[in-house]
């Protein structure tokens, strides 16, 4: 039983339910700490491995035993190569706190150039997208790829990385770029399946 001012700590993994015992309105505030488990690390590793031909090819479910064994050995080699990198956890750590806007999806019918219309609405769709920046370039890592742009693109990418839909006009205004330049950036991200057009001026 909690009284006003009480705090109840629930260890991770404990099932719980809250009810008001007096049949009146009740208000409680819950704080949760988002930890990173091996599942999140392995999810990132899978994204990293998508650049490998072995991981992208079909699983030979209906092949003979020898071909299936060779496939598993090739996958095992790719996985171990990644895990044996001395800085693999250091590479993953910043990505683990990055935004997760959602699942990759096609940008039909805009699979080519994104139309340079101010009201064209776009959205970042790469899971676990991560931004890195130095004194020369800004890099967006997501969808198993890295996209490097000139520094003036950084404000556009930071706004896009918030995960919500945004128009080219807003992206251009926020970054000081033209709508045409914003469309060129988005065209590169859409072609890499890291973003999608989710609305248009029509």
């Amino acid at each position: 039983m909690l009284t006003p001012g009480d705090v109840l700590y629930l260890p991770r993994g404990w099932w719980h339910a809250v009810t008001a015992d007096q049949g009146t309105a009740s208000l409680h505030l819950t704080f949760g700490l988002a930890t990173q488990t091996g599942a999140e690390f392995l999810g990132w590793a899978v994204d990293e491995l998508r650049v490998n031909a072995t991981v992208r090819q079909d699983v030979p479910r209906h092949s003979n035993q020898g071909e299936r064994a060779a496939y598993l050995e090739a996958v095992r080699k790719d996985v171990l190569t990644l895990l044996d990198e001395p800085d693999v956890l250091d590479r993953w750590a910043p990505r683990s706190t990055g935004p997760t806007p959602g699942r990759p999806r096609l940008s039909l019918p805009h699979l080519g150039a994104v139309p340079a219309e101010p009201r064209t609405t776009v959205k970042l769709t790469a899971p676990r997208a991560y931004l890195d920046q130095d004194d020369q370039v800004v890099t967006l890592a997501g969808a198993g790829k890295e996209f490097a742009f000139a520094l003036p693109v950084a404000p556009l990418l930071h706004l896009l990385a918030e995960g919500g839909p945004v128009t080219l006009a807003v992206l251009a205004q926020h970054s000081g770029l033209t709508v045409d330049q914003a469309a060129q950036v988005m065209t590169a991200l859409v072609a890499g399946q890291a973003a999608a057009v989710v609305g248009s001026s029509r």
Side-chain angles (χ1 to χ4, degrees), residues 36-52 55-56 75 78-85 88-89 91-93 95-96 127-128 143-145:
Q36 298 296 323
T37 67
E40 281 76 30
F41 171 65
L42 291 176
W44 168 83
V46 169
D47 286 340
E48 290 292 296
L49 290 170
R50 291 183 193 279
V51 299
N52 296 5
V55 175
R56 294 199 310 270
V75 171
D78 285 348
V79 171
L80 291 178
T81 297
L82 175 64
L83 296 182
D84 284 341
E85 293 180 11
V88 64
L89 286 179
R91 286 207 296 122
W92 165 75
R95 274 75 170 177
S96 67
R128 291 177 293 277
K145 306 178 184 68

Side-chain angles (χ1 to χ4, degrees), residues 99-112:
T100 308
R103 299 178 181 273
R105 63 180 177 181
L106 293 177
S107 183
L108 296 173
H110 306 293
L111 294 177

Side-chain angles (χ1 to χ4, degrees), residues 14-169:
W14 282 63
W15 292 102
H16 59 282
V18 178
T19 60
D21 68 320
Q22 297 176 350
T24 58
S26 174
L27 176 66
H28 66 276
L29 182 63
T30 301
F31 291 92
L33 302 178
T35 59
Q36 298 296 323
T37 67
E40 281 76 30
F41 171 65
L42 291 176
W44 168 83
V46 169
D47 286 340
E48 290 292 296
L49 290 170
R50 291 183 193 279
V51 299
N52 296 5
T54 300
V55 175
R56 294 199 310 270
Q57 74 182 34
D58 294 339
V59 177
R61 294 182 298 164
H62 306 296
S63 299
N64 59 52
Q65 192 64 31
E67 292 175 340
R68 295 170 71 175
Y71 170 79
L72 288 175
E73 181 58 33
V75 171
R76 183 181 295 109
K77 180 180 178 181
D78 285 348
V79 171
L80 291 178
T81 297
L82 175 64
L83 296 182
D84 284 341
E85 293 180 11
D87 64 340
V88 64
L89 286 179
D90 292 332
R91 286 207 296 122
W92 165 75
R95 274 75 170 177
S96 67
T97 57
T100 308
R103 299 178 181 273
R105 63 180 177 181
L106 293 177
S107 183
L108 296 173
H110 306 293
L111 294 177
V114 172
E117 299 291 338
R119 293 172 61 185
T120 297
T121 305
V122 294
K123 186 178 188 297
L124 193 66
T125 58
R128 291 177 293 277
Y130 172 75
L131 288 175
D132 193 14
Q133 184 175 333
D134 59 25
D135 57 353
Q136 294 184 337
V137 299
V138 56
T139 302
L140 184 144
K145 306 178 184 68
E146 289 190 351
F147 306 86
F149 299 97
L151 284 181
V153 179
L156 180 153
L157 294 179
H158 281 285
L159 180 58
L160 195 66
E162 293 180 5
V166 60
T167 65
L168 293 184

